[in-house]
Amino acid sequence: WSVGGGFNVDASGILLAKWGDLPAYFNGVAPPTPKAYKHLAAAINGSDGEEYNVEFFAPPPFKEGRTRWHESGSYPASDNKDPYGGPIFTEAVPLELYDVGDEIAVYAWAQLDSYWATQPDSKSPDVPPQSHFVNARTNEEWRYSRGNQTVIGQIYYFSVPITIVVGEEGSELEEL
């Protein structure tokens, strides 16, 4: 997968779950709703199980890197596999955890630019970020509304999921 937004990729990985175990608000067509976001963020932080009754698998270690927008360029290098020049990350999907016929939702996720929320020790006054832009990107408690528009802060960004249907061992790969 590739991460195209932000400058620094602080952490990135994949989340796996059986589609049949996911609540209806995981629609697989669009990025996660705010309710689904909370669910996925809890899985990354290792607290999903009992709270949501869905087993997510988030294989560590999480990946790090830089996007093409970073002043030092993209890392890890894309070898021109990504037409947009972003970093390319890979992960083996442990299909042995699933049964033949299982439909697995695979989300890629990233945490970006968390350094924006810090301030050098030499600066004064020592206050948290004041900018709307930084808070929206680094503070999950941030919520700002004006008229009918609302910005909800988040620290994780998720892909639209892909689906893997587990086949018999040795069967041919089939793209649906």
Side-chain angles (χ1 to χ4, degrees):
W1 69 96
S2 179
V3 178
F7 295 95
N8 283 326
V9 180
D10 302 318
S12 187
I14 59 172
L15 287 171
L16 311 169
K18 293 181 185 179
W19 271 115
D21 292 347
L22 293 172
Y25 53 83
F26 285 88
N27 65 21
V29 178
T33 64
K35 189 173 183 179
Y37 171 88
K38 288 181 181 180
H39 198 138
L40 292 167
I44 291 169
N45 293 316
S47 62
D48 64 314
E50 296 174 17
E51 186 176 350
Y52 294 102
N53 198 28
V54 173
E55 185 176 339
F56 276 99
F57 180 74
F62 300 139
K63 317 292 186 188
E64 298 177 351
R66 300 184 306 257
T67 71
R68 69 182 177 135
W69 307 111
H70 191 280
E71 65 186 350
S72 298
S74 178
Y75 178 83
S78 69
D79 295 330
N80 297 321
K81 293 178 185 172
D82 179 0
Y84 302 107
I88 300 292
F89 299 105
T90 62
E91 186 67 59
V93 177
L95 296 179
E96 66 275 5
L97 299 176
Y98 303 98
D99 297 322
V100 171
D102 283 348
E103 296 181 353
I104 311 303
V106 181
Y107 286 88
W109 64 269
Q111 182 178 6
L112 307 165
D113 303 326
S114 59
Y115 72 96
W116 289 2
T118 63
Q119 178 173 305
D121 292 335
S122 61
K123 300 296 180 190
S124 182
D126 185 17
V127 295
Q130 302 297 301
S131 112
H132 176 70
F133 184 72
V134 170
N135 276 292
R137 193 161 186 97
T138 63
N139 180 353
E140 288 180 305
E141 303 302 317
W142 184 258
R143 185 177 186 90
Y144 184 83
S145 296
R146 183 172 184 186
N148 64 351
Q149 303 293 316
T150 300
V151 174
I152 301 170
Q154 63 185 59
I155 61 172
Y156 300 114
Y157 296 86
F158 297 93
S159 68
V160 173
I162 63 167
T163 299
I164 295 175
V165 179
V166 180
E168 295 283 344
E169 187 173 336
S171 62
E172 290 189 34
L173 177 64
E174 184 178 333
E175 190 171 331
L176 304 174

